[in-house]
Amino acid sequence: MQSSFVYDVLIIGSGAAGLTTALCLNEALSVAVISKTTLSSGSTPWAQGGIAAVLSDQDNIDSHIQDTLIAGGDLCNEQAVRQTVENGRKSIEWLASQGVNFTEEKNTPDANSSLSNPSAPNSGQYHLTKEGGHSHRRVVHADDATGQAVSGSLCERVLEADNVDFFEQRVAIDLITHKKLSLPGNRCIGAYVLNQNDNRVELFRARFVVIATGGASKAYLYTSNPDGASCDGMAMAWRSGCRVANMEFNQFHPTCLYHPKAKSFLITEAVRGEGGKLLLPNGESFMHRFDPREELAPRDIVARAIDHEMKRLGADHLYLDISHKKPNFVLKHFPTIHETCLKFNIDICKEPIPIVPAAHYTCGGILVDHRSRTDVNQLYAIGEASSTGLHGANRMASNSLLECVVFGQAAADDINKHATDIPPPPMAPLWDESQVTNSDEDVVIAHNWEELRRFMWDYVGIVRTDKRLQRAKHRVDVLHQEILDYYSNYKVSNDLLELRNLVNVADLIICSAIQRKESRGLHYTLDYPEKMDSPQDTILTPTNFSTRDW
Ligand SMILES: Cc1cc2nc3c(=O)[nH]c(=O)nc-3n(C[C@H](O)[C@H](O)[C@H](O)COP(=O)(O)OP(=O)(O)OC[C@H]3O[C@@H](n4cnc5c(N)ncnc54)[C@H](O)[C@@H]3O)c2cc1C
């Protein structure tokens, strides 16, 4: 017997974005939040650095806006930037009111780092750090585990909320729209959801649906993101008629620990800030050949240099060395990195750390307006899954959690405002499994998953060329067909669903990268190394869908 649920609002994803919306909705609205793993999940709990907001009296809104526009390579939507930055203080206050314990000025240890200048004065209640691209101290944090603090508090509040039901181990498969039901207009009315506890597909209907499923970094072989960052929401939205924007801008973190058993462990850029040197396998340093700032060059330049040297030497990793510093210094500044590396028999006080760059953040996503509305009626997208225009061609550090809160609240405000105008969702058929069987060849999924992430890394990674992109396009087309055939014949599983979405979105990334005939922000191609005079967004439109009629 299949389960069927009806709510006012269905929120797919329980990271910072989804939980913010859930908590800002009117208490009279019934809300379902689903997560494909646990309540505290996604990239949110992994965020370390903090959240950018103008709080110091030495800082100002225009400066934060200007820094964001510069980082974004002239491709940000200025209105979205202003909306985000102007709501910075309010968002931090709201998070604090939900119980997030940000580090206060008076409790701060001396962080003697070149990336966070301790001599700069602070003002206000919270300790503020300074990160790459920010011209002022404006990053609020909860020690070095900001994401955990945010996720922890928001989860607690959601569990207390009487109007919110939470469903774990639920994987949204596809959205249900009027179009798919052959009804007029294109309204979203719910989703089919795989319950991983009993492998049955459930029907969730709702008057409003919010996608908060995070980014697409799992499309790449190496990533700092947790499992599950498989762009499910982007793929579902695209299949339902939503446009996507700027999918070619994938941010790579230069230094992730390289070890077969160390999944996604990030080596913070503070290690380079404190004098860590990047080394080739023969122990030679190389950053001076790429940028006069050497190890302190911006993230994308360092990532590109490492990628270049790895490709030149055919190396699968390089090294980051801080062992020339006194052990006391290393232990005081990097206790977590020291402890984690020791688990893999790497003593960072004595030897260099094997590193590889890793896909870190998806700047593009589902195109939304200032109220987080997509092209499909009553369908919203928020957080890393969306493209608000804030990041343009490159995300500035610590702007992303702020965007989750600002646009999560904007979605809730809009739903609250229209709550009484929108009729209940119409009936929809239950999931039909009569034509499919259990898979007898799961190796197809494992093989294609590996192949996809490998060619995305090699051909659509940090440094691109037309030839590499064409190779990737050819391969993704073959995989797409193979996975569609598989999907049509076998029962769904989480792995199959993630692979289907990854192939879908990998195709969108490749097509967007092929369209951009210039190097801008995070998109760097050897065939067009210069910027074009007039920057344009790359917007892809699914065919045969009508856009919204709000
Ligand atoms: C290591 C690391 C460090 C970072 N540091 C910072 C930082 O210091 N400051 C900053 O601003 N940003 C930082 N970021 C980026 C930031 O953490 C993310 O952009 C942000 O947390 C995204 O939040 P979200 O709510 O959009 O998605 P996520 O937090 O990724 O949550 C996605 C949710 O969707 C669910 N989900 C996904 N697909 C489905 C599906 N099909 N069905 C049901 N549920 C689904 C997941 O289970 C999860 O609950 C960092 C990211 C990483 C990985």
Side-chain angles (χ1 to χ4, degrees):
M1 178 66 186
Q2 286 181 29
S3 305
S4 169
F5 304 90
V6 187
Y7 283 89
D8 290 320
V9 186
L10 168 65
I11 300 175
I12 306 173
S14 61
L19 296 181
T20 299
T21 301
L23 291 167
C24 293
L25 286 166
N26 281 342
E27 285 172 18
L29 296 173
S30 61
V31 182
V33 178
I34 67 169
S35 163
K36 64 179 170 182
T37 55
T38 53
L39 179 52
S40 176
S41 56
S43 291
T44 298
W46 294 53
Q48 300 169 352
I51 309 177
V54 175
L55 297 179
S56 157
D57 54 15
Q58 294 180 14
D59 193 4
N60 62 76
I61 298 285
D62 284 341
S63 162
H64 190 178
I65 291 176
Q66 209 46 41
D67 291 345
T68 305
L69 294 176
I70 291 169
D74 299 322
L75 209 64
C76 302
N77 173 332
E78 202 166 334
Q79 201 193 347
V81 176
R82 183 164 286 280
Q83 180 178 346
T84 311
V85 170
E86 286 183 344
N87 280 292
R89 175 181 287 275
K90 192 178 123 200
S91 300
I92 299 298
E93 285 168 358
W94 180 78
L95 285 169
S97 76
Q98 301 303 306
V100 182
N101 267 326
F102 291 115
T103 301
E104 298 200 357
E105 178 61 25
K106 58 182 188 301
N107 297 332
T108 310
D110 174 16
N112 198 14
S113 159
S114 358
L115 292 175
S116 61
N117 174 7
S119 61
N122 274 317
S123 58
Q125 183 186 357
Y126 300 120
H127 178 257
L128 305 173
T129 59
K130 191 172 165 195
E131 289 187 333
H134 292 275
S135 58
H136 288 83
R137 289 180 153 245
R138 61 169 75 103
V139 179
V140 187
H141 59 102
D143 297 329
D144 62 352
T146 309
Q148 265 183 32
V150 169
S151 176
S153 297
L154 297 187
C155 288
E156 275 175 30
R157 297 293 83 74
V158 159
L159 289 173
E160 285 164 10
D162 289 337
N163 63 324
V164 183
D165 288 339
F166 182 64
F167 298 83
E168 291 185 326
Q169 306 299 337
R170 300 303 207 284
V171 191
I173 302 171
D174 259 322
L175 302 171
I176 307 168
T177 58
H178 271 199
K179 195 96 181 159
K180 291 179 189 168
L181 299 176
S182 302
L183 295 170
N186 201 17
R187 172 185 171 192
C188 183
I189 60 123
Y192 291 110
V193 174
L194 173 67
N195 180 344
Q196 297 186 86
N197 300 311
D198 59 9
N199 283 324
R200 284 172 187 271
V201 177
E202 299 168 338
L203 169 64
F204 279 78
R205 287 183 299 129
R207 293 197 293 152
F208 301 88
V209 178
V210 182
I211 294 176
T213 45
S217 291
K218 274 277 160 180
Y220 289 93
L221 187 60
Y222 300 111
T223 171
S224 66
N225 285 203
D227 286 342
S230 50
C231 45
D232 298 1
M234 296 174 192
M236 287 190 287
W238 173 260
R239 291 194 291 264
S240 302
C242 295
R243 287 172 298 163
V244 296
N246 294 336
M247 293 298 295
E248 68 274 36
F249 297 115
N250 312 101
Q251 190 170 64
F252 291 84
H253 195 285
T255 53
C256 242
L257 176 60
Y258 178 82
H259 188 280
K261 291 196 176 138
K263 250 188 170 179
S264 326
F265 183 68
L266 206 76
I267 309 290
T268 159
E269 35 201 308
V271 175
R272 282 179 286 120
E274 294 301 344
K277 291 299 281 181
L278 286 161
L279 303 177
L280 300 177
N282 66 3
E284 208 183 292
S285 63
F286 60 92
M287 272 312 297
H288 58 278
R289 287 195 264 116
F290 292 88
D291 194 283
R293 290 163 289 185
E294 303 191 6
E295 271 72 8
L296 296 180
R299 244 182 216 186
D300 47 332
I301 293 177
V302 178
R304 224 174 280 149
I306 296 173
D307 183 73
H308 180 274
E309 290 302 297
M310 282 173 61
K311 286 208 169 82
R312 183 175 73 83
L313 298 169
D316 48 15
H317 65 278
L318 299 185
Y319 293 93
L320 176 60
D321 191 14
I322 189 81
S323 64
H324 50 279
K325 294 275 180 182
K326 293 216 164 75
N328 272 354
F329 176 91
V330 175
L331 289 175
K332 182 176 159 225
H333 282 82
F334 307 113
T336 314
I337 296 176
H338 179 257
E339 194 187 313
T340 306
C341 288
L342 261 191
K343 286 186 197 146
F344 301 106
N345 293 323
I346 302 160
D347 184 346
I348 68 170
C349 296
K350 295 188 180 145
E351 59 194 313
I353 310 164
I355 54 94
V356 71
H360 188 53
Y361 187 82
T362 312
C363 291
I366 306 160
L367 191 63
V368 294
D369 67 8
H370 64 290
R371 292 189 251 166
S372 309
R373 303 184 306 180
T374 70
D375 285 335
V376 173
N377 296 327
Q378 280 76 59
L379 178 66
Y380 297 74
I382 50 176
E384 199 171 330
S386 67
S387 173
T388 61
L390 170 68
H391 305 300
N394 195 355
R395 172 190 76 127
M396 193 166 69
S398 292
N399 266 353
S400 35
L401 282 171
L402 178 60
E403 183 190 43
C404 287
V405 177
V406 171
F407 283 86
Q409 290 182 342
D413 289 348
D414 202 61
I415 293 171
N416 290 338
K417 193 166 145 203
H418 292 285
T420 50
D421 313 342
I422 303 298
M427 288 307 296
L430 294 173
W431 185 253
D432 180 7
E433 278 190 336
S434 58
Q435 308 295 315
V436 294
T437 58
N438 284 320
S439 156
D440 54 359
E441 269 194 274
D442 279 354
V443 65
V444 174
I445 299 178
H447 175 88
N448 286 346
W449 177 273
E450 173 75 21
E451 186 183 339
L452 174 88
R453 297 180 67 208
R454 163 67 68 186
F455 76 66
M456 285 299 285
W457 181 258
D458 287 339
Y459 300 150
V460 199
I462 299 167
V463 178
R464 298 161 179 177
T465 64
D466 277 351
K467 220 189 225 167
R468 289 178 193 167
L469 293 175
Q470 288 304 340
R471 272 191 204 126
K473 178 68 183 144
H474 176 68
R475 279 172 171 73
V476 87
D477 287 346
V478 174
L479 276 192
H480 213 153
Q481 198 46 54
E482 210 168 297
I483 290 157
L484 277 186
D485 290 347
Y486 198 90
Y487 181 77
S488 319
N489 289 314
Y490 297 111
K491 285 189 179 172
V492 290
S493 65
N494 184 42
D495 287 350
L496 172 57
L497 293 171
E498 287 190 345
L499 181 60
R500 174 181 177 236
N501 294 327
L502 281 170
V503 165
N504 205 166
V505 170
D507 192 23
L508 300 177
I509 295 173
I510 296 165
C511 290
S512 304
I514 288 174
Q515 272 195 30
R516 187 165 292 282
K517 305 289 185 205
E518 62 166 350
S519 290
R520 180 182 298 279
L522 299 163
H523 175 74
Y524 183 77
T525 160
L526 296 174
D527 291 318
Y528 312 97
E530 304 299 330
K531 271 188 197 163
M532 295 210 306
D533 290 340
S534 49
Q536 300 277 334
D537 289 320
T538 309
I539 295 179
L540 304 182
T541 309
T543 45
N544 298 329
F545 287 93
S546 62
T547 48
R548 68 163 177 242
D549 45 52
W550 284 89

